Amino acid sequence: WRVVELKEDKLILLKASSFIPIYLESVLLSLGEDTRVIHRVRVGFSSIGLEKIFDWFIRRFILTSKRIESIKRHAIEEFTNLENIL
């Protein structure tokens, strides 16, 4: 992963090192003394003309609903562990 965009105390956008464009966006929202973390995973092309075919293929065979749920659980677990470490 490499950082693509960083907005002061609010957003971190990472891009995976792969042929398929995969982005992980983490948004940090301040809620008084607490912080809410929202993760968004974006996968797919947006400007090569055949993006609908590639995106369908990715969703059908690579990022199935089971895998997406696994990614969500992993993100929650990582931030829970980070809170315990800190």
Side-chain angles (χ1 to χ4, degrees):
W1 294 93
R2 69 178 172 86
V3 176
V4 175
E5 185 177 348
L6 183 62
K7 289 187 180 174
E8 196 172 310
D9 297 333
K10 295 190 192 250
L11 170 87
I12 302 167
L13 182 61
L14 303 171
K15 184 178 186 303
S17 300
S18 69
F19 169 72
I20 301 167
I22 302 172
Y23 295 91
L24 173 61
E25 179 180 56
S26 296
V27 179
L28 308 171
L29 301 174
S30 179
L31 301 172
E33 292 183 13
D34 295 327
T35 300
R36 182 174 183 180
V37 179
I38 301 171
H39 294 289
R40 292 184 191 106
V41 176
R42 297 183 311 187
V43 178
F45 297 92
S46 61
S47 64
I48 63 170
L50 299 174
E51 63 271 1
K52 290 184 181 184
I53 295 169
F54 284 116
D55 291 350
W56 175 85
F57 180 82
I58 291 166
R59 284 190 205 100
R60 176 85 170 139
F61 298 107
I62 297 172
L63 276 180
T64 61
S65 59
K66 185 176 180 179
R67 183 168 281 174
I68 290 170
E69 286 303 315
S70 174
I71 291 169
K72 286 179 184 177
R73 283 192 308 273
H74 176 73
I76 291 168
E77 181 180 312
E78 287 296 318
F79 270 86
T80 301
N81 289 338
L82 178 63
E83 185 178 70
N84 291 334
I85 291 170
L86 295 176

